[in-house]
Amino acid sequence: MDTELLARVQFAFTIAFHYIYPPLSIGLGVLLVIMEGLYLKTKNKLYEEMTRFWIKVFALTFALGVATGIVMEFEFGTNWATYSRFVGDVFGSALAAEGIFAFFLESGFLAILVFGWHRVSPKMHFFSTCMVSLGSMLSAVWIVVANSWQQTPAGYHIVGEGIKARAEIIDFWAMVFNPSSVDRLSHTLSGAWLAGAFLVLSVNAYYLLKGKHIEFAKAGMKIALFFALFASLFQLFTGHRSADGISKNQPAKLAAMEAHFDSSAAADLYLFGVPDVDTKKVKFGIGIPGGLSFMLYQNFSTPVKGLDAFPKNELPPVNFVFQTYHAMVALGMAMIGIAVLGVFLLLRKRLFEQIWFLRLLVVTVLFPQAANQLGWFTAEVGRQPWIVYGLLKTSDGLSKTVQANQILFSLIMFTAIYALLFVLFLFLLDQKIKHGPDTHEDEVAEYHTQISIIDDLKEGK
Amino acid sequence: MPFQFDLNTIWFLLIGVLFTGYAILDGFDLGVGALHLFSKGDTDRRILINSIGPVWDGNEVWLVTGGGALFAAFPNVYASAFSGFYSAFMLLLAVLIFRAVAIEFRSKHPSAIWRRNWDIAFSIASIVIALLMGVSLGNLINGVPLETDGDIYMSLLDMLNPYALLAGVTTLSLFIMHGSIYLVMKTEGALQEQVRGWVNNSIIFFVVCYASITMATLVYFPSMAEPFKQHPWLFSLALLNMLSVANIPRMIHLKKEFFAFLSSCSSIAALLALFAIGMYPNMIISTINTLNNITVYNGSSSQQTLKTMLIIACIGVPFVLTYTIVIYRIFRGKVKIDKMSY
């Protein structure tokens, strides 16, 4: 196999695995702020139990996020050395800002969240929760800014030629606010909020179905449901903004997303279909004729730049991008439907009796996860064959010194380790969910065992 | 090359500070891990793991940030070293993850065999991480086959040359010493008495390694000593290092564990400073042609990026230092096992 394919597979695999965890941290982080804020305001023990329980889950997702995140940072240099030299000047400052502003904030205060209940005041604990949540969102800011620069480069000039060429920043803020960063950041964040909201919904629905921790589950479900409604609607808005931006900045990607072949024609909006690149048709397609034209220009007959406007070797794989994009949109719409229906049932006071709906909620935890992955596949594969859009081809970004067999070996190694890590994650998550929230009685019992351990230690046992 | 206090040098120093922070902080985590199997009984082993419980994750963030800053300030160094040391760094990633898994998994199941196996995994992973980091540093001093366009063709076996292995063992001994002192602070009773014994042995181990590597460096890489000949006041760093190490048993004896720990921190900082001074202005040395060397000048980002990042660092670092110290103060004192523990 060739190094380019192996390097791409390895990067795709490790980033996709990594991206299971940060969205959960970001989404749960916001929910923790809401839960603990409610506790401080109402002094209701239920909210304290809730905060404590979800902090444990948060800590687990964070630990996995760090472990798999270190891999990502190494991989830019190990597998994509030429790319790293090319973008270092631009990408680097965003990554440094992420480290200094976000990672330290999140990891430092997380220690207080998890281990500091008896050591700091409730207000200080709440402050730590806010800082952790802020840190998790700031890390999204910088990494998405860097990735957006790869999609829509701005504020730079090219220095040097050939293998020595690299992009240098001439305007820091133009780089930060490049044409796609705000749209893509808000779209990414709302996807992450959905991941957190649907996890909380799923676990609480499970408790209700099992008849365990009823009050805890009902209270948690209310918070998560309203959050899911807000996030899913915001997701629709930011998704529309993103598509609008792509039509201006990356027309080849948009043409592939909707399999629009002919530049002289209006573009359709498909619900689903199978694009055929040879016949330039979408088979089995059901959709709105001229729908994309209407969405972009409020007119069903305005022509949209199609795939024929680009050289063949500058096109992304059309069918792949079409399918990932449409699956993401379908899942997004499904989540809006579920959130709206849930809130409706809640307001009619019928939510907690609808067994079928609770069962549905248990499995929908996978929806935002799948949608997030599919969205990133659309964004990244849709940018191909470029690694930096219009400036550097993916095939030119590789490490020259790394051989195919080395990558094959590391790919096998990561597959094995990540399989272990994923089993660990599911095992620990399952254990925490089965264990459920700690009640006040558990606290007292725990206190006594602590005292006895300390006594044992004093006696030198 | 004369020392110039410009943006490139400032960033060389800052990255040095980040990696020193990492070595000091994760150094004791790794040291505790390396010593883990010397403790007996489940309670003692849990206390050892939980002594680093609230902080090890955060300490690894220093590595992430150090790597990020290297990417940002010196992309050519980052790209050449990371692609050139491919196999070693992949192995490093594997053990870093495996160690985290071992910490998380170990206490989740009461079975003795389960716990013993994870204890072994945790300890071996910690030892391998320390060795690999030392080996990488050793290769930087040694020089690598760096070609004109920044490519390094080097296998894992090429990296395991005698000098680099000695650097690896020295790093391990340093972290073991550091970790044992940290444990004296964090334990009490019989366990603390046992740990005090480890401190003395680990100091001897470290001093032997340190003397060997100093000799080897002076014999094989006399250029590392060049700056010290030109600026004799730099010897104060070597002196600081020795005084710091000598101070440790004294403070342990006086039961001032915290000061012993500070001494250990300062000896790590002094050692890395000696390394950095010996290297400057080179960051990667070529064994093929010195013209290929990547220095703080030909390996750096543009002046504007270095300046932007300096502003970012000036805003961010005071915050980081403040809350890092606050958090360590909150968790000072002896380890107590409770339900949030590993």
Side-chain angles (χ1 to χ4, degrees):
Chain A
M1 272 189 274
D2 73 321
T3 44
E4 186 192 345
L5 182 66
L6 282 166
R8 282 184 64 186
V9 169
Q10 177 169 306
F11 199 87
F13 172 66
T14 49
I15 191 85
F17 188 75
H18 173 63
Y19 203 65
I20 298 171
Y21 309 103
L24 287 174
S25 310
I26 293 169
L28 285 178
V30 176
L31 283 162
L32 282 173
V33 170
I34 299 172
M35 289 168 183
E36 195 167 4
L38 282 170
Y39 168 58
L40 280 190
K41 202 166 174 309
T42 63
K43 302 282 173 229
N44 185 342
K45 281 276 169 199
L46 209 53
Y47 292 124
E48 192 201 1
E49 277 173 27
M50 208 182 281
T51 313
R52 281 174 181 266
F53 175 78
W54 288 106
I55 281 176
K56 288 190 216 165
V57 179
F58 181 96
L60 177 63
T61 60
F62 179 78
L64 281 149
V66 173
T68 53
I70 296 179
V71 175
M72 301 323 304
E73 191 194 78
F74 273 54
E75 251 174 12
F76 292 122
T78 53
N79 292 70
W80 304 95
T82 310
Y83 156 84
S84 297
R85 291 191 189 101
F86 185 85
V87 299
D89 197 78
V90 177
F91 204 100
S93 47
L95 209 66
E98 176 160 357
I100 288 171
F101 289 127
F103 292 163
F104 281 119
L105 200 64
E106 202 176 354
S107 65
F109 282 100
L110 182 64
I112 297 184
L113 243 61
V114 179
F115 298 98
W117 283 103
H118 299 293
R119 290 173 183 262
V120 296
S121 70
K123 279 200 177 128
M124 176 64 193
H125 196 275
F126 179 60
F127 176 75
S128 307
T129 307
C130 294
M131 288 302 107
V132 167
S133 176
L134 182 68
S136 70
M137 285 199 273
L138 281 178
S139 38
V141 170
W142 293 106
I143 201 70
V144 175
V145 161
N147 182 274
S148 297
W149 187 86
Q150 272 177 266
Q151 310 279 352
T152 54
Y156 70 98
H157 65 162
I158 301 289
V159 180
E161 278 179 2
I163 189 92
K164 297 271 185 196
R166 68 169 181 174
E168 285 188 0
I169 297 187
I170 45 174
D171 183 343
F172 178 74
W173 294 110
M175 183 279 285
V176 173
F177 292 102
N178 66 67
S180 66
S181 37
V182 175
D183 293 339
R184 299 180 76 249
L185 176 64
S186 50
H187 199 54
T188 306
L189 280 179
S190 41
W193 295 337
L194 284 170
F198 276 85
L199 178 67
V200 175
L201 284 176
S202 169
V203 172
N204 285 324
Y206 169 80
Y207 286 153
L208 288 173
L209 287 170
K210 289 274 163 193
K212 290 196 293 191
H213 320 298
I214 303 287
E215 291 311 309
F216 171 91
K218 285 182 176 173
M221 202 160 221
K222 281 181 201 161
I223 296 172
L225 206 47
F226 282 106
F227 188 50
L229 181 66
F230 163 74
S232 60
L233 291 174
F234 188 59
Q235 184 72 298
L236 181 68
F237 170 71
T238 57
H240 176 74
R241 293 276 316 247
S242 293
D244 218 25
I246 295 168
S247 78
K248 295 186 186 77
N249 304 313
Q250 294 174 290
K253 187 195 274 188
L254 188 76
M257 281 158 65
E258 280 296 353
H260 179 55
F261 293 98
D262 184 0
S263 294
S264 61
D268 308 335
L269 196 64
Y270 287 100
L271 189 61
F272 62 83
V274 181
D276 185 337
V277 186
D278 297 328
T279 60
K280 301 191 191 264
K281 291 253 157 39
V282 177
K283 286 192 268 182
F284 318 113
I286 292 189
I288 309 164
L292 183 62
S293 296
F294 180 77
M295 208 178 84
L296 298 174
Y297 306 109
Q298 288 75 48
N299 184 337
F300 283 103
S301 52
T302 312
V304 174
K305 213 175 194 183
L307 291 163
D308 58 352
F310 305 92
K312 262 210 149 89
N313 62 353
E314 288 185 12
L315 285 179
V318 176
N319 210 337
F320 185 90
V321 175
F322 181 94
Q323 299 304 346
T324 54
Y325 170 67
H326 283 83
M328 174 194 76
V329 171
L331 286 167
M333 294 298 172
M335 284 187 278
I336 294 176
I338 291 165
V340 169
L341 184 59
V343 170
F344 173 77
L345 289 170
L346 180 72
L347 295 178
R348 301 289 299 269
K349 303 202 188 307
R350 277 165 38 199
L351 175 65
F352 304 120
E353 289 82 51
Q354 304 293 328
I355 303 293
W356 67 271
F357 189 70
L358 294 177
R359 283 193 183 140
L360 179 69
L361 285 182
V362 172
V363 291
T364 49
V365 64
L366 297 174
F367 283 25
Q369 289 291 345
N372 284 335
Q373 298 285 351
L374 291 163
W376 274 107
F377 274 110
T378 310
E380 297 295 283
V381 178
R383 192 192 57 231
Q384 300 303 326
W386 303 100
I387 194 164
V388 180
Y389 194 66
L391 296 180
L392 186 70
K393 290 260 174 80
T394 307
S395 53
D396 296 330
L398 290 161
S399 298
K400 283 194 292 160
T401 58
V402 179
Q403 313 296 318
N405 59 1
Q406 284 177 295
I407 308 179
L408 186 62
F409 178 77
S410 55
L411 181 58
I412 293 168
M413 181 190 82
F414 279 124
T415 312
I417 294 180
Y418 280 6
L420 178 71
L421 216 51
F422 194 60
V423 171
L424 168 72
F425 172 67
L426 293 181
F427 170 79
L428 293 178
L429 186 64
D430 181 65
Q431 198 186 39
K432 286 179 203 306
I433 293 169
K434 294 261 167 64
H435 180 268
D438 289 311
T439 57
H440 188 62
E441 289 75 49
D442 294 338
E443 288 277 292
V444 176
E446 190 58 43
Y447 178 74
H448 287 295
T449 50
Q450 260 190 58
I451 296 292
S452 71
I453 290 172
I454 293 164
D455 288 343
D456 285 353
L457 285 171
K458 279 185 184 148
E459 289 157 26
K461 277 185 198 165
Chain B
M1 185 142 185
F3 178 84
Q4 283 172 313
F5 199 71
D6 49 22
L7 279 168
N8 298 60
T9 303
I10 290 173
W11 271 102
F12 181 74
L13 288 173
L14 283 176
I15 285 172
V17 169
L18 282 170
F19 281 113
T20 306
Y22 172 72
I24 287 175
L25 292 171
D26 211 29
F28 67 72
D29 296 338
L30 295 169
V32 169
L35 288 164
H36 187 67
L37 294 179
F38 288 103
S39 66
K40 300 289 172 226
D42 191 55
T43 311
D44 281 6
R45 288 189 173 177
R46 282 192 75 188
I47 290 173
L48 254 56
I49 289 191
N50 281 289
S51 72
I52 60 170
V55 293
W56 69 271
D57 215 8
N59 292 343
E60 275 187 7
V61 171
W62 284 77
L63 179 65
V64 179
T65 306
L70 184 67
F71 187 3
F74 302 103
N76 293 340
V77 177
Y78 166 79
S80 294
F82 278 52
S83 59
F85 294 174
Y86 189 88
S87 298
F89 279 19
M90 286 295 149
L91 194 60
L92 180 64
L93 287 173
V95 276
L96 274 172
I97 297 176
F98 205 60
R99 179 170 177 272
V101 174
I103 294 175
E104 288 288 341
F105 247 152
R106 185 209 174 270
S107 300
K108 300 292 179 203
H109 202 283
S111 142
I113 297 172
W114 170 275
R115 291 189 171 192
R116 192 169 63 231
N117 285 332
W118 285 116
D119 282 338
I120 294 169
F122 170 57
S123 197
I124 289 178
S126 303
I127 291 169
V128 173
I129 293 166
L131 285 173
L132 278 173
M133 287 178 171
V135 165
S136 303
L137 282 185
N139 275 292
L140 289 179
I141 297 175
N142 213 352
V144 290
L146 178 68
E147 306 199 350
T148 39
D149 49 5
D151 289 332
I152 303 168
Y153 290 92
M154 201 180 188
S155 72
L156 184 58
L157 281 178
D158 296 335
M159 284 187 73
L160 298 177
N161 53 73
Y163 179 80
L165 285 172
L166 180 60
V169 175
T170 308
T171 308
L172 177 64
S173 70
L174 177 66
F175 287 169
I176 287 179
M177 176 181 82
H178 193 49
S180 64
I181 298 163
Y182 177 78
L183 279 176
V184 179
M185 283 199 303
K186 285 284 165 183
T187 53
E188 52 198 344
L191 180 59
Q192 195 191 35
E193 283 312 307
Q194 190 189 2
V195 172
R196 281 173 189 280
W198 298 350
V199 175
N200 291 332
N201 291 338
S202 65
I203 291 176
I204 296 168
F205 179 32
F206 169 68
V207 169
V208 170
C209 291
Y210 179 57
S212 317
I213 197 148
T214 305
M215 266 193 293
T217 310
L218 292 177
V219 172
Y220 294 110
F221 309 106
S223 64
M224 289 292 284
E226 218 35 61
F228 299 89
K229 282 188 200 155
Q230 285 168 16
H231 308 279
W233 60 270
L234 287 174
F235 275 105
S236 60
L237 272 172
L239 191 67
L240 172 70
N241 186 32
M242 277 181 261
L243 288 177
S244 303
V245 175
N247 193 35
I248 294 168
R250 194 173 79 95
M251 286 301 166
I252 292 281
H253 182 70
L254 293 173
K255 308 222 164 189
K256 290 182 177 164
E257 289 90 11
F258 181 64
F259 288 96
F261 184 70
L262 286 185
S263 293
S264 178
C265 294
S266 93
S267 84
I268 293 179
L271 263 177
L272 282 168
L274 291 174
F275 166 73
I277 291 167
M279 291 292 287
Y280 181 87
N282 293 310
M283 295 187 76
I284 305 181
I285 297 169
S286 173
T287 49
I288 299 172
N289 184 343
T290 48
L291 288 175
N292 297 351
N293 287 2
I294 302 182
T295 68
V296 295
Y297 297 102
N298 68 15
S300 79
S301 285
S302 65
Q303 291 297 305
Q304 185 176 346
T305 290
L306 294 181
K307 204 168 123 193
T308 311
M309 292 191 337
L310 190 61
I311 296 168
I312 293 173
C314 288
I315 300 169
V317 169
F319 284 107
V320 172
L321 289 180
T322 311
Y323 59 68
T324 303
I325 292 167
V326 167
I327 289 161
Y328 269 85
R329 275 191 61 81
I330 289 172
F331 290 106
R332 70 185 182 279
K334 307 297 179 186
V335 177
K336 305 275 182 273
I337 304 283
D338 63 32
K339 69 164 182 298
M340 300 305 265
S341 299
Y342 287 111

